[in-house]
Amino acid sequence: MTAKELVFSGVQPTGNLHLGNYLGAIVNFVKLQDTHDCIYCVVDLHAITMWQDPAELTKATREVAAAFIAAGIDPRTHIVFNQSQVSAHAELAWVFNCVARLGWLNRMTQFKEKAGKDRENASVGLYAYPSLMAADILVYRATHVPVGEDQKQHLELTRDIAQKFNNDFGDQIRAQGVDSGLFFPMPEPLITGPATRVMSLRDGTKKMSKSDPSDYSRINLSDDADAIAQKVRKAKTDPEPLPSEEKGLETRPEADNLVGIYAALSGRAKADVLREFGGGQFSNFKSSLVDLAVDKLGPIGAEMKRLTADPGYVDGVLSDGAARARVLADATVNAVKDIVGFVRAK
Ligand code: AQP
């Protein structure tokens, strides 16, 4: 790792942390700890872009932090905190609201999906969400951002904002001693790992999501063995046996998803999984998938339960992480204030 490489990513405390969040994001967070300095954030400011019950928000914030730790993130070597404790995120987001263009935000598919038909009634925060996400990343001048595929467009917007800021304020940035004029780096999305897009267990064409009204659509990290077994058994399939080759999954989204989940959890390639289960009935495959999922997720769920039973410990981790994050983030915001021309006490 070069000294300049820094990883940042976040997860929203909106309840129902699921297998998609785990395989698409958290598994990669854990791996990157060995090669990078990492900052992992529970993005509570993002969560309130849609209504959150305050008591549930507090609980979900602790639950995401517990999931990070239970999955293997070390909050002493790296930084784990919740976003609202570091006000620099919101301050930089305001500057970025003034850098980003309406046309850019109008193209964001996540806003369109989440606002749905009742756009007029969506919060301004939901619309401006990508500016805040850009601030989360750039306030640490992070270079690498591990995310699921659904966040690709927001990452592109983050790069556009970084570039426009660097262009708009090039002279001032150079006057600050940054000869290249690149005050903000162009952060790279890391959309890698075993399952960048895990689909709903009820509909293989829809992303597994926290907000799906059916709990049977997802495996939650807090699910016990019985719940995992029931959900996998009830997962939608088709009447055909499993194919023996990967191309046989092309027109079978539900089968493809379950095989993908099995492959991701077992660290094997899909083709290899099909060599073992191809030609067989779904019921046998599902039994093996239940055993595997319980084996892999059970200990994480149990550790999350243990940690959330001690909110004092979790809150301590978050406030310690926030204190360390604040030092880094405040330095960036102070430099931005100087670049933009804001008067501040020195
Ligand atoms: N289905 C998924 N497959 C792979 N990765 C996923 N991620 C989310 N869903 C999947 C990744 O998980 C990280 C944290 O997501 P988030 O909580 O910040 O936001 P989200 O994408 O809005 O999560 P949900 O579950 O889809 O929530 P709702 O229902 O509110 O839309 C991100 O890196 C994301 O890519």
Side-chain angles (χ1 to χ4, degrees):
M1 170 177 91
T2 70
K4 283 192 182 143
E5 287 199 339
L6 182 71
V7 163
F8 176 91
S9 197
V11 173
Q12 295 189 71
T14 39
N16 301 326
L17 206 58
H18 55 72
L19 186 65
N21 301 131
Y22 178 66
L23 292 174
I26 299 173
V27 164
N28 295 330
F29 296 1
V30 174
K31 277 208 192 105
L32 285 160
Q33 294 184 107
D34 297 337
T35 48
H36 292 73
D37 292 326
C38 301
I39 302 177
Y40 296 128
C41 187
V42 187
V43 287
D44 48 10
L45 298 178
H46 284 285
I48 64 162
T49 57
M50 313 274 282
W51 163 253
Q52 303 298 322
D53 175 83
E56 288 299 319
L57 180 65
T58 306
K59 190 168 155 250
T61 299
R62 292 180 179 139
E63 195 176 278
V64 174
F68 284 170
I69 300 165
I73 290 167
D74 179 354
R76 286 159 306 178
T77 313
H78 301 276
I79 294 179
V80 170
F81 72 107
N82 59 310
Q83 191 183 22
S84 61
Q85 292 208 59
V86 180
S87 56
H89 289 243
E91 286 185 75
L92 186 59
W94 181 257
V95 175
F96 287 172
N97 278 338
C98 303
V99 172
R101 306 289 91 185
L102 272 181
W104 300 357
L105 289 168
N106 284 341
R107 286 196 285 276
M108 296 296 110
T109 54
Q110 182 173 293
F111 174 75
K112 289 180 197 161
E113 279 163 24
K114 290 203 170 175
K117 290 201 180 80
D118 197 7
R119 261 177 166 226
E120 295 293 308
N121 211 18
S123 75
V124 174
L126 186 66
Y127 186 75
Y129 182 116
S131 291
L132 178 59
M133 180 164 158
D136 299 337
I137 296 163
L138 294 172
V139 84
Y140 301 102
R141 293 191 246 182
T143 53
H144 294 82
V145 187
V147 281
E149 207 177 272
D150 57 324
Q151 292 299 327
K152 192 168 176 227
Q153 196 184 32
H154 287 164
L155 247 300
E156 281 158 11
L157 189 91
T158 298
R159 292 165 64 93
D160 290 342
I161 289 176
Q163 193 163 34
K164 184 158 168 28
F165 182 94
N166 289 344
N167 286 344
D168 288 356
F169 297 102
D171 292 344
Q172 293 77 6
I173 290 168
R174 274 180 276 273
Q176 294 258 324
V178 183
D179 294 339
S180 65
L182 301 177
F183 180 76
F184 287 118
M186 295 296 129
E188 296 278 343
L190 295 176
I191 304 176
T192 55
T196 55
R197 192 169 173 84
V198 178
M199 309 309 276
S200 158
L201 299 181
R202 308 300 296 159
D203 177 350
T205 62
K206 264 173 58 188
K207 183 181 88 132
M208 186 178 283
S209 142
K210 298 189 193 106
S211 56
D212 192 312
S214 168
D215 201 47
Y216 278 93
S217 68
R218 63 184 160 258
I219 295 176
N220 300 312
L221 292 188
S222 55
D223 282 344
D224 61 18
D226 283 348
I228 294 175
Q230 272 200 27
K231 288 177 179 182
V232 172
R233 286 203 193 100
K234 285 197 180 218
K236 188 177 169 197
T237 47
D238 55 49
E240 302 297 317
L242 276 170
S244 303
E245 288 182 16
E246 230 181 309
K247 66 175 182 324
L249 293 172
E250 274 166 19
T251 52
R252 300 173 63 187
E254 284 82 18
D256 187 26
N257 189 38
L258 292 180
V259 171
I261 291 172
Y262 192 102
L265 285 173
S266 60
R268 290 162 61 184
K270 278 199 227 176
D272 188 33
V273 174
L274 290 176
R275 264 193 292 279
E276 183 180 342
F277 294 99
Q281 292 306 318
F282 268 107
S283 51
N284 291 340
F285 172 69
K286 281 184 169 180
S287 295
S288 298
L289 181 55
V290 168
D291 292 345
L292 177 65
V294 169
D295 187 50
K296 295 286 174 187
L297 303 179
I300 296 174
E303 181 64 359
M304 278 171 68
K305 211 167 166 186
R306 194 185 70 78
L307 290 167
T308 47
D310 185 358
Y313 168 73
V314 177
D315 293 2
V317 166
L318 293 172
S319 59
D320 170 67
R324 288 185 286 139
R326 212 173 283 128
V327 174
L328 304 171
D330 285 352
T332 303
V333 163
N334 283 337
V336 166
K337 285 180 176 173
D338 293 342
I339 288 167
V340 171
F342 294 157
V343 174
R344 68 179 178 95
K346 289 199 178 146

